[in-house]
Amino acid sequence: MDEEERIYRKVESIVRQDNRSTYIGEDDLVRLTQRGITVTFHLKHEKLDVINLLRTIKRTQKIIGEKLGYTLDDIRVNIYRSGAEVLRDGGRRNPYASWAAGYFDGEITIVSEEDDEEEAKSLFIYLTHEIIHCAVHEITGGRCPFWLDEGLSVFLSQELPDGYLESLHDALETGSLLPLRGLENPDDRILDDEEQRRIAYAEAACMVECLVVSPFHGWERVKGLLRNLKKEDMDGALLEQCLSYDLIQSDMEKWAKKKIGEIIPADRRIL
């Protein structure tokens, strides 16, 4: 018996690599806390990149401070590997159905498959997206309409996939855009239909992008909208910022056509 084997023999069942025993059992749910951030996850979620997960949260806090002028101190995140795991641990079923990887309902819940490389990378997008929802909820007292809430969350977490831009282009060409007022609180028929859902999210993201890059609007106007929503409805909040639904929808359509023209090749657009 060599020296290393002799030294480690009494802890062999832990350090050995093959057929490794576990003394953790099923109760492997842990909480990591740091300065108002709480992340709950399973220890056996071995490929979870906890360091970059915390970096993502702190980066998003910085974005919220810079863009929305708000300090988000309390962030609670639950990470699971499956919907079944969420339910087993006492969480609730995803209210946004199978197409959504996460949701915010006072706490952030995200399902991320540990063995899927693309899913692992997407976790940082999902997390950023849901933290923006958390901030918008606090700023507006939960009164933000879908298009502004989702538009901010998409715009600040990722670029729109080509498929969403293609769906938006088709809707522009066929005159089948979803009415902006109808996107204040879209019903399940829209969100459960993949094509309609793509259009809804693409419109929302383009609306916000148009607002923040416009020299006539910018982040100050968006911040004003969010603050005003805590005390009045969307029409009133828009009026306070010298805006209207007709104006921002018209601006969005022009912006969307320009963006699509720069990104989507002509042979992938309908004529």
Side-chain angles (χ1 to χ4, degrees):
M1 179 183 299
D2 64 27
E3 183 181 26
E4 183 177 355
E5 185 179 352
R6 180 174 61 78
I7 291 171
Y8 288 105
R9 183 170 56 178
K10 291 182 179 178
V11 292
E12 180 184 15
S13 64
I14 297 172
V15 300
R16 70 173 182 241
Q17 296 302 308
D18 297 325
N19 300 316
R20 184 170 56 194
S21 298
T22 174
Y23 298 93
I24 298 171
E26 292 299 318
D27 185 18
D28 67 332
L29 196 66
V30 296
R31 286 182 177 83
L32 171 66
T33 61
Q34 186 191 51
R35 298 176 187 172
I37 299 170
T38 301
V39 182
T40 303
F41 61 98
H42 284 271
L43 279 173
K44 293 174 191 171
H45 200 152
E46 294 178 355
K47 295 182 181 178
L48 187 65
D49 188 346
V50 178
I51 293 175
N52 276 328
L53 192 148
L54 277 174
R55 285 176 177 154
T56 300
I57 294 172
K58 290 177 178 295
R59 167 186 168 275
T60 311
Q61 285 178 308
K62 182 179 179 182
I63 289 171
I64 290 165
E66 291 175 349
K67 304 299 186 185
L68 303 182
Y70 186 75
T71 301
L72 184 64
D73 292 322
D74 182 21
I75 301 175
R76 287 161 286 168
V77 180
N78 307 299
I79 309 288
Y80 298 101
R81 290 169 294 183
S82 68
E85 196 173 73
V86 175
L87 296 176
R88 190 190 73 198
D89 290 341
R92 69 190 187 104
R93 191 178 301 278
N94 189 336
Y96 305 111
S98 59
W99 51 266
Y103 60 88
F104 168 74
D105 63 352
E107 295 187 355
I108 294 165
T109 296
I110 294 175
V111 175
S112 178
E113 297 287 347
E114 65 175 288
D115 296 325
D116 186 320
E117 185 176 345
E118 286 303 311
E119 188 80 5
K121 289 192 296 185
S122 296
L123 172 61
F124 307 123
I125 290 177
Y126 304 151
L127 186 54
T128 303
H129 185 104
E130 298 304 330
I131 294 172
I132 300 300
H133 279 315
C134 178
V136 170
H137 179 85
E138 288 193 14
I139 296 168
T140 66
R143 292 166 55 90
C144 192
F146 170 92
W147 69 264
L148 183 54
D149 191 8
E150 288 296 342
L152 284 166
S153 295
V154 172
F155 179 71
L156 291 173
S157 66
Q158 67 180 104
E159 292 293 331
L160 276 174
D162 286 356
Y164 282 67
L165 289 172
E166 289 168 1
S167 293
L168 181 60
H169 172 265
D170 294 354
L172 283 164
E173 291 296 302
T174 59
S176 55
L177 282 177
L178 299 166
L180 183 54
R181 191 175 294 278
L183 288 179
E184 281 195 8
N185 185 27
D187 60 36
D188 291 342
R189 288 175 299 175
I190 291 175
L191 298 182
D192 288 340
D193 180 277
E194 183 177 0
E195 185 67 11
Q196 292 286 290
R197 184 169 68 247
R198 284 185 172 192
I199 295 169
Y201 275 81
E203 281 190 51
C206 279
M207 200 82 65
V208 167
E209 184 172 353
C210 177
L211 280 173
V212 298
V213 302
S214 168
F216 304 108
H217 305 309
W219 282 110
E220 287 303 316
R221 185 156 283 182
V222 172
K223 286 189 286 188
L225 272 177
L226 294 175
R227 288 193 301 268
N228 290 337
L229 280 167
K230 198 159 190 175
K231 57 186 180 181
E232 54 191 329
D233 64 16
M234 193 62 199
D235 284 315
L238 287 169
L239 187 60
E240 287 280 339
Q241 298 299 316
C242 301
L243 291 170
S244 69
Y245 269 138
D246 288 342
L247 177 61
I248 57 177
Q249 178 122 21
S250 173
D251 286 349
M252 183 278 293
E253 291 182 22
K254 294 173 187 174
W255 176 259
K257 288 176 181 177
K258 177 177 180 292
K259 185 178 182 70
I260 290 165
E262 294 172 348
I263 296 175
I264 305 298
D267 60 3
R268 284 165 56 189
R269 304 180 221 151
I270 69 168
L271 300 177

